[in-house]
Amino acid sequence: MVQSSNQRLTLEEFLALPKGDITYEFVNGEAVPKYKDNEMSPKFFHSSTTGALFILLSAWAQAKGRVVIEWAIKLTRNQQDWMPVADLTYISHNRLPADWLLDEACPVAPELVIEIISPGQTFGEIVEKATDYLKADVSRVWVVDTKARTVTVFAPSSLPITYRSHQIITDDLLPELEITPHAIFQQAGLP
């Protein structure tokens, strides 16, 4: 997928671009690589944490919804189409029925989006993206910092809360889920 930077695309044109080895997000009418360079591409900590979260959340989500890795989401940001590709997404069967089986981007705002800070990204950059997700009706955003071993939870009507070590992350929006940063990073093999 290659795009000239002087021409804006519609969402439909973006979706019709040929696929390649690079993951692109649709931002401000442009196809933007999710990872700007090799420095930012996921490394071991990022990848193993993604896998750990997928395992832990999928076990909890059985019969409740689906957990998906790197699934594009059709959203609106600043009154423009926006299609980010979250590291992980949880969407309940209430928002997207269990029998929905199309090979396309997530058509509705999910309950939870998880972004894991990649090498070369700053916490501030991801916080800005988390804010954009919330403005686009995503209910919760978790920002996972593999270096600090923390999970910061963003919600639309409260200040962010950072969880460390054995602090239990619970949320009425995610019934019966009780998880700690320690459990996530232990599952990832990152003591």
Side-chain angles (χ1 to χ4, degrees), residues 23-175:
T23 300
Y24 286 88
E25 297 181 313
F26 184 65
V27 181
N28 297 326
E30 295 182 18
V32 177
K34 179 172 173 146
Y35 304 106
K36 310 292 186 270
D37 54 41
N38 283 338
E39 185 65 29
M40 283 181 63
S41 66
K43 305 288 190 275
F44 175 71
F45 287 5
H46 184 288
S47 296
S48 60
T49 302
T50 300
L53 281 160
F54 179 77
I55 290 166
L56 294 167
L57 292 174
S58 291
W60 162 79
Q62 257 184 342
K64 292 179 183 75
R66 61 188 94 207
V67 177
V68 183
I69 297 172
E70 290 207 352
W71 190 18
I73 310 164
K74 291 182 183 178
L75 299 170
T76 301
R77 187 181 84 162
N78 302 324
Q79 289 121 21
Q80 294 183 7
D81 289 327
W82 177 42
M83 190 174 293
V85 179
D87 290 320
L88 288 117
T89 302
Y90 165 72
I91 188 160
S92 72
H93 294 315
N94 293 334
R95 288 197 186 181
L96 194 62
D99 62 355
W100 183 90
L101 291 173
L102 300 174
D103 192 21
E104 61 183 46
C106 183
V108 297
E111 280 90 348
L112 175 64
V113 162
I114 300 174
E115 290 288 354
I116 301 167
I117 300 172
S118 293
Q121 288 179 317
T122 66
F123 184 78
E125 290 170 333
I126 301 300
V127 167
E128 186 176 323
K129 193 172 187 180
T131 302
D132 287 339
Y133 278 126
L134 294 175
K135 288 179 185 175
D137 295 327
V138 172
S139 303
R140 298 291 183 276
V141 180
W142 291 6
V143 174
V144 180
D145 186 334
T146 60
K147 287 184 181 176
R149 303 291 198 269
T150 60
V151 177
T152 302
V153 177
F154 294 81
S157 58
S158 64
L159 293 172
I161 300 171
T162 299
Y163 294 86
R164 293 173 173 77
S165 190
H166 294 282
Q167 292 177 303
I168 300 171
I169 302 168
T170 61
D171 193 321
D172 292 341
L173 184 71
L174 309 168

